[in-house]
Amino acid sequence: MISAFELFKIGIGPSSSHTVGPMVAAATFVDELAARELLPRVARVETVLYGSLAWTGKGHGTDKAVVLGLAGQRPQTIDPDRADALVAEAAQDRRLSLGGRHGVRFEPERDIVFDGVSPTPAHPNTLAFRAFAADGEPLAEARWCSIGGGFVVPEAEVGQPARADDSAVPYPFRNARELLALAEAAGLTIAELVAANERARRPAAEVDAHLDRVVDAMMACVDRGIATSGELPGGLKVRRRARAIRESLLARNARTPHEIMDWVSLYAIAVNEENAAGGRVVTAPTNGAAGVVPATLRYYRDHCPGATAAGMRLFLLTATAIGALFKMNASISGAEVGCQGEVGVACSMAAGGLAAALGGTNAQVENAAEIGMEHHLGMTCDPIGGLVQVPCIERNAFGAISAVNAASLALYGDGTHIVSLDKVIATMRETGRDMASKYKETSLGGLAVNLPEC
């Protein structure tokens, strides 16, 4: 079972798979060196980035993430406003403090290698760490894969079933059919079933506190994005728009029926501009798609009569079940299945969560989640310049609008529909498998190479 604690991680931008995951892997490598009592002997650490991490790593800040992770920083606790300064200091001093407790010589050009040629047999997001003694003797090596959403696993474990949780959950499910059947038999909503599973692992107060922290982080990210202006880093000269959009919306005298869509778009754009700037965001289920769930949740909070804090928790618990189904049976990695695995999954999660929060039945929730993904099938991941800016920021806005629409359509029906959520998840997995690799977060195809012609 994939927990809300795993699916909704509070971290920093711009990418869960290219920033958060590599930072975690790097910090873990240093922890392992310390556990094996090798750290005092280390004089140099080399990191090699392969596949998508090599092709789009600079745009996604993967090299910076590795430096921060080696220095002992963690995505959930690092100060985003200090991150660039820490990396700059290490480059200037030509010295890096591993885990914050053991200094080694650091030459960025030598010690972080972007290898876009060597194969990545297990996963397109692969990175390798090697530690050397002062005389050049190899001390340790580890290969990790960042499999999407901030999840990392040793390369040898890619594709293997997740390790069993020591504490059994009362309602284990592996697909939507099982989820619906278990909920019906127990007389529970999907959110209640997920909550029961969560509380089998942790005290109820801890589960609620995490959900509230996630909500607070998402809403704070919307607020920061709305309040901030200026140019995003990376060289594309993309200017933030959220603040200006909000000011225009507030200044309008005449109201139009479609204005609510502009507010939903604004919330998503605000989050993803923060993400592109390396700010504090929540993986939902990834950073590249981090705006869809918060924007839909903000729509529920600010625009739906009767919205409550309990409803927001219900939203996230329901979204957890849907995100877990995609994670277990397909992928949430743009480098593996394209953007259908990021914005598409986020739309599905948000649609199901909103339908539940608005009082939908389990069948209507499953229908909303299916609609959300069905119309994202085949979506490519082709970020211009390897940056999570174009088309990613606007794409999140469209994903959020689609989530609201999917929930609305499902709530007009009784949950009966032709294509099941399980079928659409299987189709997404197969579509990702068949998709040309250049459309999977490589910046080697699509908009990433056709910008001069646009």
Side-chain angles (χ1 to χ4, degrees):
M1 290 288 92
I2 294 172
S3 167
F5 287 74
E6 298 169 301
L7 202 61
F8 295 112
K9 303 182 185 73
I10 299 173
I12 63 170
S15 172
S16 49
S17 60
H18 288 58
T19 310
V20 174
M23 190 186 304
V24 171
T28 303
F29 180 66
V30 173
D31 289 345
E32 291 175 348
L33 289 173
R36 296 169 59 188
E37 299 183 348
L38 292 173
L39 196 57
R41 297 181 56 197
V42 176
R44 174 188 168 222
V45 173
E46 176 190 72
T47 304
V48 183
L49 307 174
Y50 300 99
S52 181
L53 296 182
W55 294 321
T56 65
K58 290 186 178 180
H60 286 82
T62 306
D63 48 349
K64 296 179 182 179
V66 166
V67 173
L68 293 168
L70 292 175
Q73 298 291 332
R74 301 280 180 168
Q76 65 271 29
T77 55
I78 189 172
D79 180 357
D81 296 328
R82 278 282 295 150
D84 285 342
L86 291 171
V87 174
E89 289 169 10
Q92 180 178 343
D93 297 342
R94 299 290 170 175
R95 195 154 188 84
L96 183 60
S97 179
L98 297 179
R101 56 189 186 271
H102 175 67
V104 298
R105 182 71 177 171
F106 176 61
E107 302 284 347
E109 303 82 4
R110 176 198 65 180
D111 295 332
I112 299 182
V113 180
F114 291 83
D115 182 350
V117 177
S118 297
T120 54
H123 194 279
N125 291 335
T126 300
L127 64 166
F129 302 99
R130 301 185 184 97
F132 300 92
D135 62 0
E137 175 193 358
L139 297 174
E141 178 176 355
R143 291 174 65 92
W144 287 81
C145 293
S146 181
I147 60 175
F151 290 86
V152 293
V153 295
E155 185 181 46
E157 296 181 14
V158 172
Q160 294 183 8
R163 295 188 182 96
D165 194 317
D166 291 335
S167 57
V169 296
Y171 303 107
F173 60 89
R174 283 293 178 270
N175 54 56
R177 179 180 55 78
E178 292 179 359
L179 172 63
L180 292 173
L182 285 168
E184 181 178 6
L188 300 173
T189 66
I190 290 173
E192 289 169 340
L193 183 148
V194 173
N197 283 346
E198 296 286 355
R199 290 164 184 166
R201 298 167 166 174
R202 298 175 176 88
E206 185 179 343
V207 175
D208 289 344
H210 175 71
L211 295 173
D212 291 343
R213 279 194 300 272
V214 168
V215 169
D216 289 345
M218 287 180 171
M219 298 303 103
C221 189
V222 172
D223 292 336
R224 285 195 311 272
I226 288 174
T228 309
S229 57
E231 188 175 288
L232 294 173
L236 287 182
K237 300 188 182 301
V238 173
R239 296 196 64 80
R240 289 177 180 252
R241 291 180 290 169
R243 182 173 177 176
I245 292 172
R246 179 177 181 272
E247 291 172 353
S248 295
L249 284 169
L250 293 175
R252 286 178 181 172
N253 292 322
R255 301 297 177 184
T256 58
H258 68 265
E259 186 174 289
I260 189 62
M261 295 190 296
D262 297 335
W263 283 100
V264 176
S265 295
L266 163 65
Y267 303 145
I269 288 170
V271 171
N272 283 85
E273 287 178 346
E274 275 296 296
N275 179 62
R280 177 76 64 203
V281 298
V282 179
T283 59
T286 68
N287 283 28
V292 178
V293 169
T296 312
L297 194 61
R298 183 72 162 236
Y299 164 78
Y300 167 74
R301 191 195 78 173
D302 290 0
H303 302 279
C304 294
T308 63
M312 297 177 85
R313 292 177 188 163
L314 184 154
F315 183 119
L316 291 180
L317 288 167
T318 305
T320 295
I322 296 164
L325 291 173
F326 281 98
K327 182 74 175 64
M328 290 187 291
N329 296 293
S331 174
I332 58 172
S333 169
E336 195 169 17
V337 295
C339 199
Q340 58 174 357
E342 298 201 28
V343 169
V345 173
C347 177
S348 184
M349 292 167 60
L354 180 60
L358 294 178
T361 65
N362 288 346
Q364 289 171 320
V365 167
E366 187 262 357
N367 189 191
E370 184 278 326
I371 295 171
M373 172 51 73
E374 182 178 340
H375 304 292
H376 282 87
L377 289 172
M379 179 176 280
T380 60
C381 184
D382 50 355
I384 294 173
L387 298 165
V388 191
Q389 297 178 18
V390 182
C392 315
I393 295 172
E394 287 183 354
R395 187 168 284 175
N396 274 259
F398 278 79
I401 292 294
S402 295
V404 174
N405 193 28
S408 180
L409 287 173
L411 291 173
Y412 276 115
D414 63 0
T416 303
H417 55 114
I418 302 298
V419 180
S420 70
L421 179 56
D422 286 330
K423 291 294 185 184
V424 86
I425 291 174
T427 303
M428 189 271 269
R429 182 184 66 243
E430 294 163 3
T431 303
R433 180 193 62 204
D434 296 339
M435 186 183 294
S437 61
K438 67 180 181 179
Y439 297 120
K440 300 179 186 179
E441 206 168 1
T442 63
S443 288
L444 298 176
L447 287 176
V449 297
N450 287 326
L451 178 62
E453 301 175 15
C454 295

